[in-house]
Amino acid sequence: MNEQVLFAKQMLTAAGWLQNAFAVVNSEGRLQEVGIGEPTGARCFDVLLPAPANIHSHSFQRAIAGLTERREGRSEDNFWSWRRLMYKFLDHLDPEDIEAIAAQVQMEMLEAGYASVGEFHYLHHQLGGTPYEDPAELSHRILSAAKDSGIGYTHLPVLYMHAGLAGEPLAGGQLRFGCTLESFTRLFESVDSALPNYPGDFHLGVAPHSLRAVDYEGILLTDKLVSNGPIHIHIAEQTAEVEEVRHSLGATPIRWLLEHMPVDRRWCLIHATHADESELRQLAASKAIAGICPITEANLGDGIFNAVAFSESNGRMAIGSDSNVRIAMAEELRLLEYSQRLRFRRRVLLTSGELSCGRFLYDQATLGGAQALARDAGRIETGALADLVALDAENTPLHGRCGDELLDAWIFASDDSIVTDVWAAGRHVVQDGRHINRDRIHSAFNSVMENLRSEH
Ligand code: ZN
């Protein structure tokens, strides 16, 4: 990678907003220098920001986006009926399909302004549960999609042991997820030993799926496998699940996890949707990230995370696109705030001190996102990875705005179509609003979708 010199009329740095500033990206994809002035030969942009991380994705679910909006039979439609449809769809996916879908999803994320993603990867085996020759075949497929799309990547292989808290065996579509502690360790080690073949900013974390699917020994194992994290877990997405955990384990999921595991800044709790204020206070004090997926949580009818109480306790959040029904960063942040406004019937709820609401939300997505993916990024500062996003401020609602108003205008008055350029660890993969390999990645995705449709 050649050294790049970037100039922006407005730049959000770790030291605050700078006007007419430059940033030098070195050949390792890190920021080498940040300062005021316009060096000769610099590429010019209107607005340059640190790019957020998308901390929670199941990439293959993008392929069923928009196909689950009809009521199933005469029954009430909810998360569990959506999940049945998703499992049925899994029967048709082979490794090539999974790689092509992942590359498309990562490309869409980059074009939306995300520089990195954490893939919560639970699809491990062949149809019926037989392992591939390399037990980590499908993990390697997603890693290879990430190398192709150029996204910054944290792989989170999922330990999924049983179908419910009573240890019910896996069945049907779930057989593709299941691992014992031994087989999961082998899978993890296969990914770990292949990591040097990928860019230096790729990381390996781990994900015990949920308290429904993993027991105490399983969670302990995952904690041991990655001493520096990250560790992600689905925690309290559905009220039925919270009740089931309370009944079986004697405490609600968040409380149980905080009491039984060394939860700290390595951890990211996905969908802490159903939590009382004391759980939120303790979670905030643990320094773990609350991973919120506002669009998916709305689509699935999960409920509303109490982000107001959590941020009043100085809890740190990050955002994810989860089911990938939409890949839209500004919309995730807008919905995070709007869900609170609707809940509490007040305005401008997620903010602190002098920061505007848009700035506060954006700081969560960049700084919280970097922590959740164990990525040395999320800020424009010498030494950090160059995860950057540039915006068009001329022909958009951003025109004439400066400082935090730019973020407010992007999040509340515009959308991701104003993203012009994105760098992931210095890889300049979105240029003039398009991913550099969009046509190739998109046509591979389209042919997978055509084949899948003909199989139905
Ligand atoms: Zn999820």
Side-chain angles (χ1 to χ4, degrees), residues 413-432:
S414 188
D415 58 36
D416 303 332
S417 63
I418 66 170
V419 169
T420 62
D421 293 73
V422 176
W423 295 256
R427 298 181 291 274
H428 189 185
V429 283
V430 175
Q431 301 182 12
D432 297 322

Side-chain angles (χ1 to χ4, degrees), residues 220-299:
L220 268 188
L221 170 75
T222 55
D223 185 77
K224 229 185 305 158
L225 282 173
V226 287
S227 49
N228 294 317
I231 307 167
H232 290 215
I233 183 169
H234 287 141
I235 194 69
E237 182 171 12
Q238 289 284 319
T239 48
E241 159 186 41
V242 172
E243 281 316 306
E244 209 186 326
V245 170
R246 194 207 304 267
H247 181 73
S248 293
L249 302 179
T252 52
I254 295 174
R255 182 152 293 124
W256 187 91
L257 192 77
L258 291 169
E259 281 170 6
H260 292 83
M261 290 293 149
V263 176
D264 56 19
R265 53 180 297 115
R266 298 170 303 145
W267 286 72
C268 177
L269 277 63
I270 307 294
H271 310 303
T273 314
H274 302 288
D276 63 29
E277 293 197 8
S278 98
E279 286 175 300
L280 292 173
R281 268 196 304 278
Q282 287 174 44
L283 180 58
S286 76
K287 304 282 183 222
I289 297 286
I292 317 298
C293 308
I295 295 174
T296 296
E297 288 160 9
N299 183 269

Side-chain angles (χ1 to χ4, degrees), residues 60-72 77 81-82 85-86 88-89 299 323-325 445 449 452-453 456:
F60 75 88
Q61 293 179 11
R62 180 71 176 144
I64 55 166
L67 295 176
T68 60
E69 305 302 328
R70 280 173 186 277
R71 228 176 242 185
E72 199 192 354
D77 211 59
S81 55
W82 173 86
L85 277 167
M86 187 264 286
K88 246 200 281 181
F89 168 75
N299 183 269
S323 70
N324 295 309
V325 61
F445 173 76
M449 294 305 287
L452 289 171
R453 260 194 295 274
H456 271 76

Side-chain angles (χ1 to χ4, degrees), residues 75-92:
S75 64
E76 199 183 329
D77 211 59
N78 57 25
F79 172 87
W80 308 103
S81 55
W82 173 86
R83 194 178 75 153
R84 275 196 296 280
L85 277 167
M86 187 264 286
Y87 284 176
K88 246 200 281 181
F89 168 75
L90 283 178
D91 293 351
H92 300 272

